[in-house]
């Protein structure tokens, strides 16, 4: 890999041991990927989770968190204090809600370790967004901006909807980028890799959030790690629709970028979306394909539902507002739990607007900072779950062991209120 003089100096230790280790990790990582060089970034998203540390050590100190980070994230046998971030860095999802951690089943030791980890993240200058949707919180990369983001649903949104450029980074590479302001120049940083590979002709017009989730889930399963170009959409999607669509495609396949002709910024036309590429295959999305995606996503058979999860990826304020409207003057069934997830900053607004109050009075909980699949949290003794997220419907059975229904937000809230699943497509 070709390095600039500045990069060589950091690799030789000019900026201290932590940045030297970070640069060494990026060079090894980049060379393994075939990157010819590094590129500057001033936009890093990473999660620093407490799960990496022993939960049996209530006497843990800040220096222990530093030591774990240097060993596990920066591959150093020699422990060191993590210095300040070199570039703008957002901390994404973490392991618990700051207010409802006991309801989530987090034990006091794990809670303490989480607080200590947050203290370290704050000390080094990370932006404590605590969400998988940094783009809802003001981190909105501009067209062509090079980023180093973890979290597949955020990455696909960044690449596809915003025109930012990032691969799905790991904790280690993103931490190294945070300390150096560099990331390997490969994958979705390069123009040619952002061109479409598969054409998807839409015969069933996606309108609802659920439709967009099903479309993403269907397409992702077929194209896997390629770049689908969705053609024929007539109605403008919104943030929630594209958020769910990308999260679904990244779950059933490994899609990191898609185009919707006429709506996403690198696909004003089919010609622009494909550039020099010829489609490797043409798919259609009609009624039968929509049904197939729905059936593949549905793992539950028992209509009695006891856990309803909303907010994957974390809900927009519009989604929280709509959930509150559906719950107003109603009550969650005594045998059911309704957990709704949104970024903490948006919950502050929901608090001010009275939305949190409506949700709480209905017996649901508006949570922040985390989610069931990332933290393996859930109410006790769940038998059957339901969600409006194709991503969570995909992961919940495998990661938490619950058969899961997939449906619209309205289906899910009706299930929460009645304790019965009656959703359909
Ligand atoms: Fe976010 Fe958790 Fe879903 S990190 S995308 S709410 S699985």
């Amino acid at each position: 890999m070709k390095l600039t003089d500045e990069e060589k100096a950091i690799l030789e230790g000019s900026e201290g041991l932590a940045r030297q280790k970070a640069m060494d990790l990026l060079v090894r990582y980049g060379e393994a990927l075939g990157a010819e060089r590094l590129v500057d970034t001033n936009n890093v998203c990473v999660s620093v989770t407490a799960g990496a540390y022993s939960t049996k050590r209530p006497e843990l100190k800040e220096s222990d968190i530093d030591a774990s980070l240097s060993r596990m994230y920066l591959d150093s046998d020699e422990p060191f204090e993590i210095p300040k971030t070199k570039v703008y860095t957002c901390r994404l999802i973490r392991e618990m809600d700051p207010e409802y951690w006991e309801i989530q089943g987090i034990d006091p030791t794990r809670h303490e370790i989480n607080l200590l980890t947050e203290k370290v993240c704050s000390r080094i200058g990370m932006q404590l967004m605590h969400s998988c949707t940094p783009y809802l919180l003001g981190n909105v990369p501009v067209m062509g901006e090079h980023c180093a983001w973890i979290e597949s649903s955020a990455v696909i949104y960044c690449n596809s909807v915003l025109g930012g450029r990032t691969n799905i980074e790991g904790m280690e590479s993103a931490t190294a980028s945070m300390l150096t302001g560099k990331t390997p120049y490969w994958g979705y940083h390069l123009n040619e890799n952002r061109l479409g590979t598969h054409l998807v002709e839409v015969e069933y017009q996606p309108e609802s959030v659920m439709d967009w989730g099903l479309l993403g889930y269907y397409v992702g399963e077929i194209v896997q790690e390629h770049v689908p170009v969705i053609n024929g959409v007539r109605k403008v999607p919104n943030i929630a629709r594209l958020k769910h669509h990308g999260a679904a495609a990244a779950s059933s396949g490994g899609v990191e970028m898609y185009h919707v002709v006429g709506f996403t910024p690198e696909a004003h036309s089919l010609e622009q979306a494909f550039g020099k590429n010829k489609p490797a295959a043409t798919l259609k999305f009609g009624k039968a394909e929509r049904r197939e995606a729905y059936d593949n996503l549905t793992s539950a058979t028992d209509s009695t539902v006891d856990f309803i999860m909303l907010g994957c990826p974390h809900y927009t304020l519009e989604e929280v507002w709509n959930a509150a409207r559906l719950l107003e003057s109603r009550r969650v069934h005594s045998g059911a739990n309704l957990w709704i997830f949104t970024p903490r900053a948006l919950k502050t607004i929901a608090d001010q607007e009275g939305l949190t109050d409506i949700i709480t009075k209905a017996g649901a909980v508006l949570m922040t900072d985390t989610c069931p699949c990332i933290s393996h949290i859930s109410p006790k003794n769940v038998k059957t779950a339901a969600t409006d997220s194709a991503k969570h419907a995909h992961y919940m059975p495998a990661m938490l062991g619950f058969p899961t229904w997939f449906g619209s937000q309205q289906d899910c809230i009706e299930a929460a209120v009645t304790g019965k699943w009656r959703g359909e497509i």
Side-chain angles (χ1 to χ4, degrees):
M1 186 187 278
K2 279 192 203 124
L3 297 181
T4 62
D5 289 343
E6 176 211 2
E7 291 159 356
K8 281 183 200 156
I10 297 172
L11 190 58
E12 282 158 17
S14 65
E15 296 189 11
L17 182 59
R19 298 192 208 284
Q20 181 181 23
K21 289 286 182 187
M23 184 59 81
D24 177 58
L25 189 143
L26 284 179
V27 170
R28 285 187 284 140
Y29 174 56
E31 283 179 344
L33 294 164
E36 288 178 3
R37 65 178 176 90
L38 300 170
V39 64
D40 290 341
T41 178
N42 183 41
N43 193 331
V44 178
C45 285
V46 62
S47 283
V48 176
T49 61
Y53 318 115
S54 166
T55 53
K56 295 194 178 71
R57 295 182 56 191
E59 75 282 8
L60 213 65
K61 302 182 295 299
E62 262 190 59
S63 57
D64 295 316
I65 303 280
D66 281 288
S68 290
L69 284 172
S70 48
R71 187 175 67 247
M72 297 181 66
Y73 287 10
L74 294 167
D75 196 23
S76 172
D77 294 332
E78 196 178 336
F80 46 76
E81 186 179 299
I82 305 291
K84 292 261 186 210
T85 64
K86 189 160 188 174
V87 293
Y88 177 64
T89 300
C90 301
R91 187 184 189 205
L92 299 193
I93 205 106
R94 63 147 174 187
E95 282 191 306
M96 58 167 207
D97 181 289
E99 195 178 346
Y100 297 115
W101 57 275
E102 285 172 293
I103 294 178
Q104 292 175 339
I106 304 280
D107 67 58
T109 303
R110 191 172 163 201
H111 173 244
E112 285 302 316
I113 295 170
N114 262 284
L115 294 182
L116 195 58
T117 308
E118 180 172 335
K119 204 169 156 200
V120 171
C121 292
S122 174
R123 185 198 78 209
I124 66 176
M126 296 180 83
Q127 314 296 312
L128 304 182
M129 289 191 171
H130 294 161
S131 174
C132 48
T133 53
Y135 48 90
L136 298 181
L137 304 171
N139 186 348
V140 184
V142 297
M143 185 82 175
E145 182 174 348
H146 293 287
C147 307
W149 286 18
I150 63 157
E151 173 41 42
S152 62
S153 72
V155 163
I156 193 170
Y157 196 94
C158 173
N159 279 325
S160 312
V161 183
L162 304 175
R165 298 186 169 211
T166 179
N167 298 300
I168 297 180
E169 295 299 334
M171 304 281 219
E172 300 79 2
S173 58
T175 302
S177 295
M178 167 182 93
L179 294 177
T180 58
K182 307 280 176 180
T183 188
Y185 188 60
W186 73 290
Y188 291 95
H189 292 284
L190 306 176
N191 291 338
E192 60 268 30
N193 295 331
R194 301 175 65 83
L195 297 172
T197 59
H198 291 64
L199 177 60
V200 183
E201 292 289 1
V202 162
E203 291 179 4
Y204 184 98
Q205 278 299 312
E207 297 217 351
S208 63
V209 168
M210 185 174 162
D211 288 339
W212 277 96
L214 290 169
L215 173 59
Y217 199 73
Y218 179 77
V219 169
E221 203 153 21
I222 294 178
V223 309
Q224 290 294 310
E225 293 176 351
H226 294 285
V227 182
V229 177
I230 317 287
N231 192 38
V233 172
R234 289 196 296 271
K235 198 164 174 190
V236 189
N238 65 359
I239 295 177
R241 285 164 176 75
L242 295 180
K243 172 174 73 94
H244 282 275
H245 175 73
S251 306
S252 58
V255 181
E256 294 178 48
M257 176 155 192
Y258 64 84
H259 301 281
V260 183
V261 176
F263 297 105
T264 54
E266 293 173 50
H268 294 298
S269 64
L270 261 182
E271 293 69 33
Q272 186 194 5
F274 279 105
K276 63 178 176 35
N277 287 356
K278 295 255 176 300
T282 299
L283 328 175
K284 77 170 174 105
F285 182 76
K287 268 190 175 169
E289 289 75 19
R290 181 170 175 266
R291 175 90 228 178
E292 187 182 323
Y294 179 80
D295 289 342
N296 287 345
L297 268 174
T298 303
S299 52
T301 50
D302 187 347
S303 64
T304 302
V305 176
D306 46 16
F307 177 36
I308 298 88
M309 184 278 172
L310 303 176
C312 166
H314 277 179
Y315 259 1
T316 63
L317 202 48
E318 182 200 4
E319 289 173 298
V320 174
W321 166 69
N322 215 36
R325 289 204 301 180
L326 292 168
L327 282 167
E328 191 150 24
S329 307
R330 303 179 83 191
R331 188 78 205 154
V332 171
H333 190 268
S334 57
N337 300 275
L338 173 56
W339 289 7
I340 305 175
F341 292 83
T342 195
R344 204 191 303 182
L346 297 189
K347 180 169 177 286
T348 305
I349 301 173
D351 292 348
Q352 289 165 358
E353 292 176 348
L355 302 177
T356 309
D357 203 39
I358 294 171
I359 290 168
T360 308
K361 279 195 179 123
V365 193
L366 185 59
M367 296 179 171
T368 67
D369 289 39
T370 189
C371 80
C373 278
I374 288 293
S375 299
H376 296 254
I377 50 166
S378 62
K380 285 203 179 87
N381 305 320
V382 172
K383 289 198 179 63
T384 301
T387 181
D388 65 345
S389 160
K391 177 171 179 176
H392 243 70
H394 176 83
Y395 285 120
M396 204 123 66
M399 297 185 81
L400 294 168
F402 314 142
T404 302
W405 294 103
F406 169 70
S408 67
Q409 184 190 55
Q410 181 151 10
D411 292 337
C412 290
I413 288 185
E414 288 308 312
V417 169
T418 60
K420 290 282 176 196
W421 182 257
R422 297 199 181 86
E424 246 300 338
I425 61 168

